[in-house]
Amino acid sequence: MNSIFIIINIAVLLLLMAGLFFMQKKHVSFSKRVFTALGLGIVFGFVLHLIYGTTSEITTGTIDWFNIAGNGYVKLLQMVVMPLVFISIVGAFTKLKLTKNIGKISFLVIGILLGTTAISAAIGIGSALGFGLDGIHLTAGDAENARNALLEEKVTGVKDMTIPQQILELLPSNPFQDLTGARPTSTIAVVIFAAFIGMAYLGVKRKDPEHADFFAKIIDTLYSIIMRVVTLILRLTPYGILAIITRVTATSDYEAILKLGKFVVASYVALILMFIVHLLLLTFAKLSPVNYVKKALPTLTFAFTSRTSAGTLPLNIKTQTKDFGVSEGIANFAASFGLSIGQNGCAGIYPAMLAVMVAPAAGINPTSPSFIVSLILVVAISSFGVAGVGGGATFAALIVLSVMNLPIAIVGLLISVEPLIDMGRTALNVSGSMTAGVLTGKVTGELEKEVYQRPNVVEA
């Protein structure tokens, strides 16, 4: 009998996907198809939740099949992340216009990412204090105790490392291993390796222009091929979002969310405030925040539902170049660096809030100016090398709490609401990298304002 219900659920999902395909054939805009998929997924997932619950065999079996579309889509995006990061950074050096400002662009992108992370940490601290969040009264169940046991294993190596040692971990001792994503810091390691290749190209270009031109053509060709692969995968976005958000809505523990509702609300208040900071920065740069929201929404929606900054990389680059008018070089730099440096949500707000919540348990006054200043600095420095996939916030929190000599158990106590909050954090991470790209393009004169200002008519 269970198999019959599972087959019915799969049939409904396929019918919904057929509707999205029909919209594509009717040339309905990409944005409308994405938001239609989001709405259908929420409704369908909630219906499954009401009928079968979150842990029934029917729900589990149904979600296993849905994951072929949802997780399969994310895996396809992750498949091209490392090649795209590597080719994007090297390609940034091979573009003549960018090489003239390479130092300035790198400094601006990294500076904006770290600066906004420091601001997000301050906002996270303010939100935790404003809502009076206290980690002492959180209780652990079986799932939380199991999670904390795993975290203790994960943090063993982190606790014994100083900040200089953590910085050394960012460097690629084996770039081929890092291209497989073997370490949490693999993304930034690939960026560093690609930057060395790019600088070597600049040196060869001065001494042997013929070989340099041949290398540049190879990189441009590879970039074109990879971006074509990206385009093919992005066409699946509405279907992937439909499956992913259906799973999230159907399997969420709403009772646990209600119990930790205060923390969830405080987190989203901080996330929204930081997003407003992004819009204010664009306004100060004399760029329309309304245009930014309209054009960024499809990408931010995917980041929200998928919970992966790395998987959102292709959409991130596409939005910056095609919709905002940012040069390819800067867009590649900002999107790639934003995967592992200065993630405003995962590496900024979340660790700062947890540190404030557990500070009293360690005998520290969380309102102390010295504690707040040191926490902001630690958060900003520790934001290097945060993995751009689901769970990166946990890694960031472990580092910050360990460096500040604070208990790490609170990270495991929030397991029930982690997916819900991680959705908002990931969207903010992506917004931060896109904002860094747009602002850098504006400062360096490599932003086509007419593209930024025109209505969004780009299809996928």
Side-chain angles (χ1 to χ4, degrees), residues 171-460:
L171 300 178
S173 59
N174 185 344
F176 299 101
Q177 179 188 32
D178 286 319
L179 282 168
T180 68
R183 302 186 299 149
T185 56
S186 284
T187 305
I188 188 64
V190 169
V191 170
I192 293 171
F193 176 61
F196 271 100
I197 297 293
M199 287 186 288
Y201 160 80
L202 296 180
V204 172
K205 186 176 181 179
R206 286 192 295 269
K207 297 181 179 180
D208 191 350
E210 184 177 342
H211 283 167
D213 290 342
F214 179 69
F215 177 78
K217 289 178 181 178
I218 293 175
I219 294 299
D220 288 344
T221 301
L222 289 174
Y223 184 81
S224 298
I225 295 296
I226 289 177
M227 287 308 295
R228 182 57 185 169
V229 173
V230 167
T231 300
L232 294 174
I233 297 173
L234 290 183
R235 289 177 179 173
L236 303 174
T237 298
Y239 312 104
I241 285 182
L242 171 62
I244 291 169
I245 201 64
T246 299
R247 179 194 66 205
V248 171
T249 313
T251 59
S252 292
D253 187 346
Y254 295 107
E255 290 185 8
I257 290 172
L258 288 175
K259 289 180 182 177
L260 293 171
K262 190 177 181 181
F263 178 74
V264 174
V265 171
S267 297
Y268 270 91
V269 166
L271 293 169
I272 291 170
L273 287 175
M274 190 59 210
F275 183 68
I276 292 174
V277 170
H278 292 168
L279 299 183
L280 289 175
L281 290 173
L282 294 169
T283 302
F284 294 150
K286 298 181 179 179
L287 296 169
S288 169
V290 175
N291 279 4
Y292 175 83
V293 173
K294 287 181 178 178
K295 295 184 174 187
L297 263 181
T299 301
L300 298 181
T301 299
F302 174 75
F304 183 86
T305 54
S306 67
R307 296 171 52 205
T308 164
S309 300
T312 313
L313 178 65
L315 273 173
N316 188 334
I317 294 175
K318 169 184 170 292
T319 301
Q320 288 193 56
T321 54
K322 304 298 183 182
D323 300 335
F324 293 148
V326 179
S327 69
E328 285 190 0
I330 292 177
N332 292 333
F333 260 82
S336 299
F337 276 120
L339 290 183
S340 296
I341 298 176
Q343 293 193 346
N344 292 179
C346 288
I349 289 175
Y350 187 65
M353 291 183 69
L354 296 192
V356 170
M357 291 171 66
V358 300
I364 299 173
N365 178 10
T367 62
S368 166
S370 60
F371 172 77
I372 292 175
V373 171
S374 61
L375 177 57
I376 292 174
L377 290 175
V378 168
V379 167
I381 295 172
S382 299
S383 69
F384 279 85
V386 175
V389 295
T394 299
F395 183 73
L398 292 175
I399 293 176
V400 171
L401 294 177
S402 299
V403 172
M404 299 290 290
N405 292 317
L406 296 172
I408 67 166
I410 188 173
V411 180
L413 298 179
L414 300 170
I415 182 175
S416 56
V417 295
E418 179 74 12
L420 179 62
I421 298 172
D422 197 38
M423 295 166 79
R425 291 191 309 235
T426 306
L428 186 67
N429 295 341
V430 174
S431 177
S433 66
M434 288 197 294
T435 301
V438 171
L439 292 177
T440 300
K442 180 67 163 58
V443 172
T444 58
E446 294 193 40
L447 175 73
E448 297 180 55
K449 291 191 67 175
E450 62 275 10
V451 175
Y452 185 92
Q453 292 169 352
R454 75 186 180 198
N456 189 5
V457 296
V458 177
E459 293 292 325

